[in-house]
């Protein structure tokens, strides 16, 4: 699994002009699922994200996690995170999981985050054309790939 995590002061996602998910201070997480991903990737990644210390403490140092600041989370599925641009100019998405695998894993990832935070997690709509708006706070943007955890 590959994620792009953005520390936000607010974010939202709309489908056909209607906002379907939003968050205030917290994290916008774009997640790409590949065929090789397993439940182990979900567990490792959700714990890593929840404990990632990227929020400022009173001294302005990044010492607090999203849990520490009681932050909110918006998760959006984005298969294009697995684009390969090695050959030619048209990206290949051969590593991205198809919907039969990706949709259940996406739901499991959201559930794992919900269990870790004990809070509802806002989401986009899997497979839909979405418009994402955000105010990146910092800016702080972190990329994590569960296949590169060592």
């Amino acid at each position: 699994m590959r994620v792009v995590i953005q520390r936000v002061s607010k974010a939202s996602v709309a489908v056909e002009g209607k906002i379907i998910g939003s968050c205030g201070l917290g994290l916008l997480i774009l997640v790409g699922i590949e065929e090789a991903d397993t439940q182990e990737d979900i567990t490792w990644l959700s714990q890593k994200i929840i404990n990632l210390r990227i929020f400022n403490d009173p001294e302005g140092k990044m010492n607090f996690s999203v849990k520490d600041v009681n932050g909110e989370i918006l998760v959006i599925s984005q298969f294009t995170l697995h684009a390969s641009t090695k050959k030619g100019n048209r990206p290949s998405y051969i590593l991205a999981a198809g919907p039969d695998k990706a949709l259940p894993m996406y739901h499991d990832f959201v559930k794992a985050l919900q269990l870790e935070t004990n809070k509802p997690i806002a989401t986009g709509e899997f497979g839909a054309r979405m418009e994402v708006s955000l105010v990146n706070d910092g800016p702080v943007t972190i990329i994590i790939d569960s296949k590169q955890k060592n």
Side-chain angles (χ1 to χ4, degrees):
M1 293 177 77
R2 186 171 295 153
V3 294
V4 175
I5 303 162
Q6 296 183 319
R7 185 179 78 182
V8 297
S9 53
K10 64 180 176 179
S12 64
V13 58
V15 174
E16 296 180 5
K18 180 182 175 196
I19 293 177
I20 62 166
S22 65
C23 72
L25 175 72
L27 302 174
L28 168 63
I29 303 170
L30 306 174
V31 58
I33 298 162
E34 65 177 81
E35 283 295 333
D37 289 331
T38 66
Q39 190 64 40
E40 182 181 316
D41 294 291
I42 291 171
T43 301
W44 181 84
L45 198 52
S46 62
Q47 290 173 357
K48 177 63 105 175
I49 291 168
I50 296 307
N51 294 300
L52 199 59
R53 296 176 7 191
I54 60 172
F55 290 88
N56 293 345
D57 66 15
E59 286 79 43
K61 291 188 178 187
M62 286 195 249
N63 279 324
F64 289 160
S65 70
V66 69
K67 278 176 75 169
D68 295 331
V69 299
N70 198 29
E72 300 176 340
I73 298 176
L74 172 59
V75 178
I76 299 182
S77 176
Q78 188 172 347
F79 76 93
T80 60
L81 291 179
H82 288 291
S84 173
T85 57
K86 288 184 180 184
K87 292 173 77 176
N89 293 317
R90 183 178 176 158
S92 167
Y93 304 105
I94 194 83
L95 293 178
D100 289 346
K101 174 164 184 158
L103 182 57
M105 290 197 72
Y106 172 72
H107 287 301
D108 288 349
F109 178 65
V110 170
K111 286 178 195 170
L113 291 170
Q114 193 165 350
L115 287 172
E116 293 284 336
T117 61
N118 203 25
K119 292 176 77 167
I121 304 296
T123 63
E125 182 179 322
F126 187 92
R129 185 179 188 305
M130 296 174 274
E131 294 177 342
V132 180
S133 299
L134 69 132
V135 177
N136 189 317
D137 180 26
V140 174
T141 302
I142 309 285
I143 300 168
I144 302 174
D145 190 321
S146 65
K147 300 297 186 250
Q148 298 176 358
K149 56 186 158 204
N150 294 332

